[in-house]
Amino acid sequence: MAGDRLTRELTTLADDTVDHRFKGLPPDAAGRTLGELAAERRNLFTGGFTTPVLALSAESVEHNLALLETYTTRHGLAFAPHGKTSMAPQLFARQLAHGAWGITAAVPHQARVYRDFGIQRIFLANEVVDAAALRWLAGELAADPDFRCVLYVDSLRGIELMDTALRAAEAVRPVDVVIELAAGEEARTGARTEAECRELADAIAGVDTLRLVGVAGYEGEVPDADHAKVTAWLRRLVALATGLDAAGRFADLDEIVVSAGGSAWFDAVAEVFAEIPALSAPVLKLLRSGAYVSHDDGHYRHRTPFNRLPGEGELRPAFRLWAQVVSRPTPAQAFLNAGKRDAAYDLGLPQALAVRSGRDGTVRPASGLTVTGLSDQHAWLRTEHAGDVEVGDWVALGLSHPCTSFDKWQLIPLVEEDGTVVDFLRTFF
């Protein structure tokens, strides 16, 4: 039933109308539905799309989805990819089709989007203390006995606020929670010590609105992370789960959740989670990487675990932001019509990858071109030679950090290698 709902909602997305809300779409397509426009299979470069336009490689996305499915299966991991990377329900559907256990959220709004599209398992990696959000969650749990949502807990005050809000909402099902162990003294959220975690477990046992189901954290926050430091923290997480289980904190559970994993150290997660001993119930070893689906040409490309895993495969960057040269004021300088409003730049400037001639459509490597800065609507391009580019040329930019790429575009063409647009991904940030 949940799958049917997701299918129905995705069909509704295809019925949305092409109009001014969506950057880069062909002006002559206004009034058509997205499904109708996708069926036309227009070419990104000759089909009337305007620049700048962000595109996702259909082949790279499918490759990355299949690669993580194979990897997690091989290493005995369940997978709840972090949906906040894309907030694209069409990608959620494909991740679930590739074996994902569920989808991870960071805040209640994202969970609401997931539920509106019929997602049945949500791992919300944050402590939720908003009474309105908890009231909504209690309603969702009461209305659908098959819906499962797991939340973080990392403070006594948080437990108090959650309990108060859920009692006021007359919750009929306890909310599943995991205790978050911080990845170090200088890390982000999470209880700093195992003693604090045990105190939280005692407090959860004292309320009937919450049910402790495991432990979790984020190894990407380990200060000055390297393999040794990350695996040391992951072993602390595993030892915490083992100790809480020995103390009877997971009695009567069908499974115990142990979760970690961003996109930079999932190899370490797989290595340490393989060491988890037998506990009182089967362990759900839950990985939460999200950036893998599109990968990137900067931050993650240089930090992917597959760089350390010969023979396991390789992720492919899927984003290309196509912009046009609109000014060529000097032989050493050019300007593109894409800037901060269009390109992710929080973890590195875009990289010029290819040039498509505005005269004859031929494509060549972007040799000698370097993006040196971004204004609101312009990219500053340094050129080594006067003939590197001319006004009217299209330039493909590789982006860093997919988490801030998807949120700048409400609609993203999915493009095959020859430029054919086969679908449009809708995002909800």
Side-chain angles (χ1 to χ4, degrees):
M1 181 179 296
D4 292 341
R5 180 179 174 186
L6 180 55
T7 300
R8 289 195 306 271
E9 295 298 333
L10 294 182
T11 300
T12 300
L13 287 184
D15 291 336
D16 206 351
T17 302
V18 175
D19 58 25
H20 63 274
R21 292 171 295 162
F22 306 123
K23 298 190 289 186
L25 296 195
D28 67 356
R32 291 177 175 82
T33 68
L34 294 173
E36 290 169 342
L37 182 56
E40 292 180 7
R41 296 178 64 85
R42 295 195 186 195
N43 187 278
L44 185 72
F45 308 107
T46 62
F49 290 85
T50 63
T51 57
V53 59
L54 181 66
L56 268 175
S57 162
E59 294 87 355
S60 294
V61 167
E62 178 56 33
H63 169 85
N64 294 343
L65 289 168
L67 183 62
L68 257 291
E69 178 184 20
T70 300
Y71 180 83
T72 53
T73 300
R74 181 184 299 127
H75 292 279
L77 300 171
F79 192 32
H82 214 315
K84 59 94 177 174
T85 301
S86 70
M87 288 304 293
Q90 290 141 296
L91 290 180
F92 301 163
R94 293 179 64 176
Q95 288 168 319
L96 292 169
H98 278 277
W101 171 90
I103 306 294
T104 296
V107 292
H109 160 71
Q110 294 168 2
R112 288 186 60 200
V113 173
Y114 301 177
R115 285 300 289 160
D116 282 350
F117 282 88
I119 303 301
Q120 286 294 91
R121 291 174 177 167
I122 298 173
F123 188 96
L124 205 165
N126 231 332
E127 185 170 72
V128 178
V129 295
D130 184 319
L134 290 165
R135 183 167 58 250
W136 167 82
L137 177 58
E140 291 292 306
L141 291 168
D144 184 352
D146 295 324
F147 169 49
R148 185 175 187 192
C149 185
V150 180
L151 308 181
Y152 270 10
V153 162
D154 79 348
S155 68
L156 293 174
R157 175 61 172 159
I159 293 170
E160 178 187 356
L161 289 170
M162 295 171 79
D163 179 54
T164 299
L166 291 169
R167 287 183 183 281
E170 299 181 347
V172 298
R173 289 173 57 189
V175 172
D176 287 349
V177 295
V178 290
I179 293 172
E180 183 191 7
L181 176 66
E185 286 298 325
E186 304 301 321
R188 195 168 56 192
T189 56
R192 265 38 184 176
T193 68
E194 283 77 359
E196 290 177 81
C197 292
R198 290 190 290 271
E199 188 177 14
L200 294 175
D202 291 342
I204 294 166
V207 300
D208 58 11
T209 55
L210 303 175
R211 181 176 73 149
L212 181 61
V213 298
V215 299
Y218 175 45
E219 77 291 340
E221 287 294 312
V222 171
D224 302 317
D226 59 24
H227 184 266
K229 292 176 182 176
V230 169
T231 53
W233 175 79
L234 286 164
R235 290 192 172 99
R236 284 182 60 199
L237 185 70
V238 169
L240 175 64
T242 303
L244 290 175
D245 187 49
R249 294 304 187 194
F250 302 135
D252 302 322
L253 292 182
D254 293 330
E255 65 181 5
I256 299 166
V257 178
V258 181
S259 179
S263 294
W265 292 102
F266 58 73
D267 56 333
V269 174
E271 174 187 338
V272 175
F273 280 14
E275 303 170 358
I276 296 177
L279 300 181
S280 62
V283 178
L284 182 72
K285 304 173 184 179
L286 194 61
L287 184 70
R288 306 192 308 272
S289 309
Y292 82 98
V293 68
S294 63
H295 202 37
D296 71 1
D297 281 288
H299 180 76
Y300 284 108
R301 186 168 193 172
H302 299 296
R303 292 166 175 80
T304 174
F306 288 116
N307 292 340
R308 304 184 291 268
L309 297 171
E312 290 273 16
E314 182 179 13
L315 293 169
R316 299 175 184 171
F319 274 125
R320 290 294 178 268
L321 176 61
W322 287 94
Q324 272 187 293
V325 180
V326 293
S327 180
R328 190 75 162 91
T330 73
Q333 197 173 37
F335 290 87
L336 308 179
N337 63 346
K340 294 179 181 178
R341 311 263 180 201
D342 313 297
Y345 62 94
D346 62 317
L347 292 179
L349 290 171
Q351 302 175 39
L353 300 177
V355 177
R356 188 178 191 277
S357 171
R359 295 181 182 273
D360 60 16
T362 57
V363 179
R364 62 185 185 276
S367 303
L369 302 182
T370 304
V371 176
T372 60
L374 294 175
S375 300
D376 283 351
Q377 300 291 178
H378 291 94
W380 296 59
L381 200 64
R382 186 177 68 238
T383 65
E384 294 183 5
H385 307 289
D388 285 340
V389 290
E390 65 176 351
V391 171
D393 287 348
W394 290 44
V395 178
L397 300 177
L399 304 175
S400 182
H401 201 188
C403 297
T404 53
S405 295
F406 281 102
D407 66 356
K408 295 179 183 296
W409 295 81
Q410 290 185 315
L411 198 74
I412 304 172
L414 191 66
V415 184
E416 292 182 340
E417 189 173 359
D418 64 359
T420 302
V421 176
V422 295
D423 203 355
F424 296 89
L425 300 184
R426 188 74 160 86
T427 65
F428 293 87
F429 283 93

